[in-house]
Amino acid sequence: MRKAFNGTFIVAGGYDREDGNKAIAENRADLVAFGRWFLSNPDLPKRYELDAPLNKYNRETFYTSDPVLGYTDYPFLEDSS
């Protein structure tokens, strides 16, 4: 797909930190989407920067309206400064 499209190319679906970095480094993508990982890790860029452990996401809370769980209650990394 990358060879057929000349615009900004975004990949998504099953990427972790290592896979995302590799996709960018190998010019297979310009951007990588981390949807599920962003839901469970509101500080995902910081976690990736520090290579910190990730919160596990809970698929059962995806797209639920009542009760609202999972979108706003995942913990941030502890501030170690």
PDB file of all heavy atoms in Angstrom, residues 5 10-11 14-17 26 31-33 35-36 38 45 47 50-51 53 55 59 61 68 70-72 76 79 81:
ATOM      1  N   PHE A   5       0.537   4.806  -2.549  1.00  0.00           N
ATOM      2  CA  PHE A   5      -0.033   6.038  -1.985  1.00  0.00           C
ATOM      3  C   PHE A   5       1.087   7.003  -1.654  1.00  0.00           C
ATOM      4  O   PHE A   5       2.010   6.672  -0.906  1.00  0.00           O
ATOM      5  CB  PHE A   5      -0.847   5.702  -0.735  1.00  0.00           C
ATOM      6  CG  PHE A   5      -1.532   6.885  -0.125  1.00  0.00           C
ATOM      7  CD1 PHE A   5      -2.617   7.471  -0.759  1.00  0.00           C
ATOM      8  CD2 PHE A   5      -1.091   7.407   1.071  1.00  0.00           C
ATOM      9  CE1 PHE A   5      -3.262   8.563  -0.195  1.00  0.00           C
ATOM     10  CE2 PHE A   5      -1.725   8.498   1.645  1.00  0.00           C
ATOM     11  CZ  PHE A   5      -2.814   9.073   1.006  1.00  0.00           C
ATOM     12  N   ILE A  10      -0.727   6.337   7.455  1.00  0.00           N
ATOM     13  CA  ILE A  10      -0.893   5.944   8.852  1.00  0.00           C
ATOM     14  C   ILE A  10      -1.214   4.455   8.912  1.00  0.00           C
ATOM     15  O   ILE A  10      -2.076   3.976   8.182  1.00  0.00           O
ATOM     16  CB  ILE A  10      -2.044   6.732   9.508  1.00  0.00           C
ATOM     17  CG1 ILE A  10      -1.797   8.236   9.392  1.00  0.00           C
ATOM     18  CG2 ILE A  10      -2.209   6.320  10.975  1.00  0.00           C
ATOM     19  CD1 ILE A  10      -2.994   9.071   9.807  1.00  0.00           C
ATOM     20  N   VAL A  11      -0.520   3.739   9.790  1.00  0.00           N
ATOM     21  CA  VAL A  11      -0.818   2.325  10.002  1.00  0.00           C
ATOM     22  C   VAL A  11      -1.417   2.153  11.388  1.00  0.00           C
ATOM     23  O   VAL A  11      -1.180   2.949  12.291  1.00  0.00           O
ATOM     24  CB  VAL A  11       0.442   1.433   9.842  1.00  0.00           C
ATOM     25  CG1 VAL A  11       0.953   1.469   8.414  1.00  0.00           C
ATOM     26  CG2 VAL A  11       1.546   1.843  10.802  1.00  0.00           C
ATOM     27  N   GLY A  14      -2.580  -3.543  16.139  1.00  0.00           N
ATOM     28  CA  GLY A  14      -1.655  -4.517  16.704  1.00  0.00           C
ATOM     29  C   GLY A  14      -0.220  -4.054  16.863  1.00  0.00           C
ATOM     30  O   GLY A  14       0.644  -4.861  17.188  1.00  0.00           O
ATOM     31  N   TYR A  15       0.049  -2.783  16.640  1.00  0.00           N
ATOM     32  CA  TYR A  15       1.417  -2.290  16.792  1.00  0.00           C
ATOM     33  C   TYR A  15       1.741  -2.051  18.259  1.00  0.00           C
ATOM     34  O   TYR A  15       0.924  -1.540  19.011  1.00  0.00           O
ATOM     35  CB  TYR A  15       1.620  -0.983  16.015  1.00  0.00           C
ATOM     36  CG  TYR A  15       1.712  -1.174  14.533  1.00  0.00           C
ATOM     37  CD1 TYR A  15       0.575  -1.216  13.747  1.00  0.00           C
ATOM     38  CD2 TYR A  15       2.941  -1.327  13.917  1.00  0.00           C
ATOM     39  CE1 TYR A  15       0.650  -1.404  12.386  1.00  0.00           C
ATOM     40  CE2 TYR A  15       3.035  -1.513  12.550  1.00  0.00           C
ATOM     41  CZ  TYR A  15       1.884  -1.556  11.794  1.00  0.00           C
ATOM     42  OH  TYR A  15       1.968  -1.749  10.438  1.00  0.00           O
ATOM     43  N   ASP A  16       2.955  -2.422  18.641  1.00  0.00           N
ATOM     44  CA  ASP A  16       3.475  -2.052  19.945  1.00  0.00           C
ATOM     45  C   ASP A  16       4.607  -1.057  19.710  1.00  0.00           C
ATOM     46  O   ASP A  16       4.831  -0.621  18.570  1.00  0.00           O
ATOM     47  CB  ASP A  16       3.932  -3.272  20.755  1.00  0.00           C
ATOM     48  CG  ASP A  16       5.066  -4.061  20.080  1.00  0.00           C
ATOM     49  OD1 ASP A  16       5.720  -3.547  19.147  1.00  0.00           O
ATOM     50  OD2 ASP A  16       5.295  -5.200  20.510  1.00  0.00           O
ATOM     51  N   ARG A  17       5.294  -0.681  20.743  1.00  0.00           N
ATOM     52  CA  ARG A  17       6.360   0.328  20.636  1.00  0.00           C
ATOM     53  C   ARG A  17       7.413  -0.084  19.598  1.00  0.00           C
ATOM     54  O   ARG A  17       7.761   0.679  18.707  1.00  0.00           O
ATOM     55  CB  ARG A  17       7.011   0.539  22.002  1.00  0.00           C
ATOM     56  CG  ARG A  17       8.145   1.533  22.017  1.00  0.00           C
ATOM     57  CD  ARG A  17       8.699   1.645  23.454  1.00  0.00           C
ATOM     58  NE  ARG A  17       9.728   2.637  23.534  1.00  0.00           N
ATOM     59  CZ  ARG A  17      11.042   2.354  23.458  1.00  0.00           C
ATOM     60  NH1 ARG A  17      11.441   1.108  23.293  1.00  0.00           N
ATOM     61  NH2 ARG A  17      11.921   3.321  23.546  1.00  0.00           N
ATOM     62  N   GLU A  26      11.665   1.889   8.770  1.00  0.00           N
ATOM     63  CA  GLU A  26      11.738   1.198   7.482  1.00  0.00           C
ATOM     64  C   GLU A  26      10.887   1.884   6.415  1.00  0.00           C
ATOM     65  O   GLU A  26      10.694   1.347   5.337  1.00  0.00           O
ATOM     66  CB  GLU A  26      11.295  -0.262   7.646  1.00  0.00           C
ATOM     67  CG  GLU A  26      12.255  -1.064   8.494  1.00  0.00           C
ATOM     68  CD  GLU A  26      11.780  -2.483   8.752  1.00  0.00           C
ATOM     69  OE1 GLU A  26      10.634  -2.839   8.366  1.00  0.00           O
ATOM     70  OE2 GLU A  26      12.564  -3.242   9.344  1.00  0.00           O
ATOM     71  N   LEU A  31       3.095   7.601  10.245  1.00  0.00           N
ATOM     72  CA  LEU A  31       2.510   7.676  11.583  1.00  0.00           C
ATOM     73  C   LEU A  31       1.975   6.307  11.972  1.00  0.00           C
ATOM     74  O   LEU A  31       1.584   5.521  11.119  1.00  0.00           O
ATOM     75  CB  LEU A  31       1.345   8.678  11.605  1.00  0.00           C
ATOM     76  CG  LEU A  31       1.674  10.109  11.208  1.00  0.00           C
ATOM     77  CD1 LEU A  31       0.401  10.877  10.896  1.00  0.00           C
ATOM     78  CD2 LEU A  31       2.434  10.788  12.330  1.00  0.00           C
ATOM     79  N   VAL A  32       1.942   6.054  13.278  1.00  0.00           N
ATOM     80  CA  VAL A  32       1.401   4.798  13.793  1.00  0.00           C
ATOM     81  C   VAL A  32       0.312   5.129  14.810  1.00  0.00           C
ATOM     82  O   VAL A  32       0.537   5.932  15.716  1.00  0.00           O
ATOM     83  CB  VAL A  32       2.495   3.938  14.461  1.00  0.00           C
ATOM     84  CG1 VAL A  32       1.920   2.640  15.001  1.00  0.00           C
ATOM     85  CG2 VAL A  32       3.632   3.658  13.492  1.00  0.00           C
ATOM     86  N   ALA A  33      -0.852   4.523  14.663  1.00  0.00           N
ATOM     87  CA  ALA A  33      -1.954   4.711  15.608  1.00  0.00           C
ATOM     88  C   ALA A  33      -1.917   3.600  16.649  1.00  0.00           C
ATOM     89  O   ALA A  33      -1.729   2.431  16.312  1.00  0.00           O
ATOM     90  CB  ALA A  33      -3.280   4.701  14.872  1.00  0.00           C
ATOM     91  N   GLY A  35      -4.513   2.948  19.173  1.00  0.00           N
ATOM     92  CA  GLY A  35      -5.825   3.199  19.773  1.00  0.00           C
ATOM     93  C   GLY A  35      -6.055   2.546  21.113  1.00  0.00           C
ATOM     94  O   GLY A  35      -6.312   3.210  22.113  1.00  0.00           O
ATOM     95  N   ARG A  36      -6.026   1.230  21.175  1.00  0.00           N
ATOM     96  CA  ARG A  36      -6.301   0.525  22.434  1.00  0.00           C
ATOM     97  C   ARG A  36      -5.286   0.875  23.504  1.00  0.00           C
ATOM     98  O   ARG A  36      -5.631   1.017  24.674  1.00  0.00           O
ATOM     99  CB  ARG A  36      -6.319  -0.985  22.211  1.00  0.00           C
ATOM    100  CG  ARG A  36      -7.521  -1.462  21.430  1.00  0.00           C
ATOM    101  CD  ARG A  36      -7.378  -2.900  21.066  1.00  0.00           C
ATOM    102  NE  ARG A  36      -6.406  -2.957  19.990  1.00  0.00           N
ATOM    103  CZ  ARG A  36      -6.274  -3.958  19.146  1.00  0.00           C
ATOM    104  NH1 ARG A  36      -7.032  -5.010  19.263  1.00  0.00           N
ATOM    105  NH2 ARG A  36      -5.396  -3.934  18.190  1.00  0.00           N
ATOM    106  N   PHE A  38      -3.642   3.677  23.768  1.00  0.00           N
ATOM    107  CA  PHE A  38      -3.914   5.037  24.255  1.00  0.00           C
ATOM    108  C   PHE A  38      -5.089   5.049  25.230  1.00  0.00           C
ATOM    109  O   PHE A  38      -5.100   5.831  26.176  1.00  0.00           O
ATOM    110  CB  PHE A  38      -4.189   6.011  23.117  1.00  0.00           C
ATOM    111  CG  PHE A  38      -3.030   6.904  22.813  1.00  0.00           C
ATOM    112  CD1 PHE A  38      -2.432   6.876  21.573  1.00  0.00           C
ATOM    113  CD2 PHE A  38      -2.534   7.788  23.755  1.00  0.00           C
ATOM    114  CE1 PHE A  38      -1.352   7.693  21.280  1.00  0.00           C
ATOM    115  CE2 PHE A  38      -1.460   8.607  23.483  1.00  0.00           C
ATOM    116  CZ  PHE A  38      -0.866   8.560  22.240  1.00  0.00           C
ATOM    117  N   PRO A  45       2.790   8.363  25.152  1.00  0.00           N
ATOM    118  CA  PRO A  45       4.081   8.856  24.641  1.00  0.00           C
ATOM    119  C   PRO A  45       5.180   8.860  25.708  1.00  0.00           C
ATOM    120  O   PRO A  45       6.321   8.488  25.427  1.00  0.00           O
ATOM    121  CB  PRO A  45       3.762  10.271  24.170  1.00  0.00           C
ATOM    122  CG  PRO A  45       2.304  10.234  23.855  1.00  0.00           C
ATOM    123  CD  PRO A  45       1.711   9.309  24.881  1.00  0.00           C
ATOM    124  N   ARG A  47       5.316   6.896  28.385  1.00  0.00           N
ATOM    125  CA  ARG A  47       5.666   5.498  28.654  1.00  0.00           C
ATOM    126  C   ARG A  47       6.575   4.937  27.558  1.00  0.00           C
ATOM    127  O   ARG A  47       7.534   4.219  27.851  1.00  0.00           O
ATOM    128  CB  ARG A  47       4.403   4.641  28.778  1.00  0.00           C
ATOM    129  CG  ARG A  47       3.635   4.907  30.058  1.00  0.00           C
ATOM    130  CD  ARG A  47       2.341   4.104  30.087  1.00  0.00           C
ATOM    131  NE  ARG A  47       1.521   4.471  31.202  1.00  0.00           N
ATOM    132  CZ  ARG A  47       1.409   3.760  32.320  1.00  0.00           C
ATOM    133  NH1 ARG A  47       2.087   2.641  32.463  1.00  0.00           N
ATOM    134  NH2 ARG A  47       0.620   4.163  33.287  1.00  0.00           N
ATOM    135  N   LEU A  50      10.093   6.376  27.944  1.00  0.00           N
ATOM    136  CA  LEU A  50      10.828   5.771  29.063  1.00  0.00           C
ATOM    137  C   LEU A  50      10.914   4.248  28.969  1.00  0.00           C
ATOM    138  O   LEU A  50      11.554   3.618  29.799  1.00  0.00           O
ATOM    139  CB  LEU A  50      10.142   6.139  30.384  1.00  0.00           C
ATOM    140  CG  LEU A  50      10.059   7.617  30.718  1.00  0.00           C
ATOM    141  CD1 LEU A  50       9.207   7.841  31.960  1.00  0.00           C
ATOM    142  CD2 LEU A  50      11.453   8.199  30.900  1.00  0.00           C
ATOM    143  N   ASP A  51      10.266   3.671  27.967  1.00  0.00           N
ATOM    144  CA  ASP A  51      10.144   2.222  27.836  1.00  0.00           C
ATOM    145  C   ASP A  51       9.556   1.634  29.120  1.00  0.00           C
ATOM    146  O   ASP A  51       9.996   0.607  29.627  1.00  0.00           O
ATOM    147  CB  ASP A  51      11.482   1.576  27.495  1.00  0.00           C
ATOM    148  CG  ASP A  51      11.332   0.193  26.889  1.00  0.00           C
ATOM    149  OD1 ASP A  51      10.204  -0.161  26.487  1.00  0.00           O
ATOM    150  OD2 ASP A  51      12.327  -0.550  26.855  1.00  0.00           O
ATOM    151  N   PRO A  53       6.439   0.105  31.608  1.00  0.00           N
ATOM    152  CA  PRO A  53       5.372  -0.888  31.406  1.00  0.00           C
ATOM    153  C   PRO A  53       4.036  -0.214  31.094  1.00  0.00           C
ATOM    154  O   PRO A  53       3.792   0.920  31.511  1.00  0.00           O
ATOM    155  CB  PRO A  53       5.299  -1.626  32.746  1.00  0.00           C
ATOM    156  CG  PRO A  53       6.246  -0.987  33.665  1.00  0.00           C
ATOM    157  CD  PRO A  53       6.985   0.081  32.948  1.00  0.00           C
ATOM    158  N   ASN A  55      -0.269  -0.196  31.060  1.00  0.00           N
ATOM    159  CA  ASN A  55      -1.490  -0.727  31.660  1.00  0.00           C
ATOM    160  C   ASN A  55      -2.126  -1.660  30.638  1.00  0.00           C
ATOM    161  O   ASN A  55      -2.115  -1.371  29.439  1.00  0.00           O
ATOM    162  CB  ASN A  55      -2.494   0.392  31.947  1.00  0.00           C
ATOM    163  CG  ASN A  55      -2.000   1.378  32.963  1.00  0.00           C
ATOM    164  OD1 ASN A  55      -1.400   1.006  33.955  1.00  0.00           O
ATOM    165  ND2 ASN A  55      -2.268   2.650  32.711  1.00  0.00           N
ATOM    166  N   ARG A  59     -11.021  -4.941  27.108  1.00  0.00           N
ATOM    167  CA  ARG A  59     -11.931  -4.860  25.948  1.00  0.00           C
ATOM    168  C   ARG A  59     -13.401  -4.785  26.358  1.00  0.00           C
ATOM    169  O   ARG A  59     -14.211  -4.236  25.638  1.00  0.00           O
ATOM    170  CB  ARG A  59     -11.741  -6.065  25.036  1.00  0.00           C
ATOM    171  CG  ARG A  59     -10.482  -6.035  24.232  1.00  0.00           C
ATOM    172  CD  ARG A  59     -10.436  -7.299  23.364  1.00  0.00           C
ATOM    173  NE  ARG A  59      -9.207  -7.369  22.633  1.00  0.00           N
ATOM    174  CZ  ARG A  59      -9.047  -6.900  21.393  1.00  0.00           C
ATOM    175  NH1 ARG A  59     -10.038  -6.317  20.785  1.00  0.00           N
ATOM    176  NH2 ARG A  59      -7.888  -7.017  20.780  1.00  0.00           N
ATOM    177  N   THR A  61     -14.756  -2.980  28.418  1.00  0.00           N
ATOM    178  CA  THR A  61     -15.189  -1.603  28.687  1.00  0.00           C
ATOM    179  C   THR A  61     -15.186  -0.734  27.433  1.00  0.00           C
ATOM    180  O   THR A  61     -15.559   0.434  27.509  1.00  0.00           O
ATOM    181  CB  THR A  61     -14.295  -0.938  29.755  1.00  0.00           C
ATOM    182  OG1 THR A  61     -12.959  -0.839  29.258  1.00  0.00           O
ATOM    183  CG2 THR A  61     -14.308  -1.729  31.048  1.00  0.00           C
ATOM    184  N   VAL A  68     -19.687   4.065  32.729  1.00  0.00           N
ATOM    185  CA  VAL A  68     -18.530   4.558  31.978  1.00  0.00           C
ATOM    186  C   VAL A  68     -17.275   4.129  32.731  1.00  0.00           C
ATOM    187  O   VAL A  68     -16.934   4.695  33.760  1.00  0.00           O
ATOM    188  CB  VAL A  68     -18.580   6.082  31.804  1.00  0.00           C
ATOM    189  CG1 VAL A  68     -17.354   6.559  31.050  1.00  0.00           C
ATOM    190  CG2 VAL A  68     -19.839   6.486  31.072  1.00  0.00           C
ATOM    191  N   GLY A  70     -13.108   2.640  32.044  1.00  0.00           N
ATOM    192  CA  GLY A  70     -12.042   2.363  31.105  1.00  0.00           C
ATOM    193  C   GLY A  70     -11.521   3.542  30.319  1.00  0.00           C
ATOM    194  O   GLY A  70     -10.376   3.531  29.916  1.00  0.00           O
ATOM    195  N   TYR A  71     -12.330   4.561  30.103  1.00  0.00           N
ATOM    196  CA  TYR A  71     -11.862   5.679  29.294  1.00  0.00           C
ATOM    197  C   TYR A  71     -11.192   6.758  30.139  1.00  0.00           C
ATOM    198  O   TYR A  71     -10.403   7.535  29.633  1.00  0.00           O
ATOM    199  CB  TYR A  71     -13.013   6.306  28.503  1.00  0.00           C
ATOM    200  CG  TYR A  71     -13.479   5.415  27.370  1.00  0.00           C
ATOM    201  CD1 TYR A  71     -14.544   4.559  27.544  1.00  0.00           C
ATOM    202  CD2 TYR A  71     -12.826   5.416  26.153  1.00  0.00           C
ATOM    203  CE1 TYR A  71     -14.962   3.729  26.526  1.00  0.00           C
ATOM    204  CE2 TYR A  71     -13.237   4.585  25.127  1.00  0.00           C
ATOM    205  CZ  TYR A  71     -14.303   3.750  25.318  1.00  0.00           C
ATOM    206  OH  TYR A  71     -14.702   2.932  24.303  1.00  0.00           O
ATOM    207  N   THR A  72     -11.509   6.825  31.405  1.00  0.00           N
ATOM    208  CA  THR A  72     -10.978   7.911  32.232  1.00  0.00           C
ATOM    209  C   THR A  72     -10.365   7.431  33.536  1.00  0.00           C
ATOM    210  O   THR A  72      -9.951   8.254  34.340  1.00  0.00           O
ATOM    211  CB  THR A  72     -12.100   8.910  32.582  1.00  0.00           C
ATOM    212  OG1 THR A  72     -13.121   8.216  33.309  1.00  0.00           O
ATOM    213  CG2 THR A  72     -12.679   9.547  31.336  1.00  0.00           C
ATOM    214  N   PHE A  76      -2.014   6.879  35.522  1.00  0.00           N
ATOM    215  CA  PHE A  76      -0.827   7.462  34.915  1.00  0.00           C
ATOM    216  C   PHE A  76       0.404   6.896  35.609  1.00  0.00           C
ATOM    217  O   PHE A  76       0.316   6.338  36.706  1.00  0.00           O
ATOM    218  CB  PHE A  76      -0.832   8.985  35.095  1.00  0.00           C
ATOM    219  CG  PHE A  76      -1.804   9.710  34.218  1.00  0.00           C
ATOM    220  CD1 PHE A  76      -3.155   9.789  34.528  1.00  0.00           C
ATOM    221  CD2 PHE A  76      -1.360  10.335  33.065  1.00  0.00           C
ATOM    222  CE1 PHE A  76      -4.049  10.450  33.734  1.00  0.00           C
ATOM    223  CE2 PHE A  76      -2.262  11.025  32.247  1.00  0.00           C
ATOM    224  CZ  PHE A  76      -3.604  11.078  32.586  1.00  0.00           C
ATOM    225  N   ASP A  79       4.934   9.939  39.158  1.00  0.00           N
ATOM    226  CA  ASP A  79       5.933  10.985  38.915  1.00  0.00           C
ATOM    227  C   ASP A  79       7.147  10.721  39.780  1.00  0.00           C
ATOM    228  O   ASP A  79       7.049  10.752  41.009  1.00  0.00           O
ATOM    229  CB  ASP A  79       5.342  12.368  39.210  1.00  0.00           C
ATOM    230  CG  ASP A  79       6.274  13.486  38.802  1.00  0.00           C
ATOM    231  OD1 ASP A  79       7.341  13.212  38.231  1.00  0.00           O
ATOM    232  OD2 ASP A  79       5.923  14.651  39.052  1.00  0.00           O
ATOM    233  N   SER A  81       9.983  12.468  39.687  1.00  0.00           N
ATOM    234  CA  SER A  81      10.900  13.624  39.781  1.00  0.00           C
ATOM    235  C   SER A  81      10.928  14.201  41.167  1.00  0.00           C
ATOM    236  O   SER A  81      10.206  13.909  42.048  1.00  0.00           O
ATOM    237  CB  SER A  81      10.502  14.695  38.794  1.00  0.00           C
ATOM    238  OG  SER A  81       9.137  15.030  38.904  1.00  0.00           O
TER     239      SER A  81
END
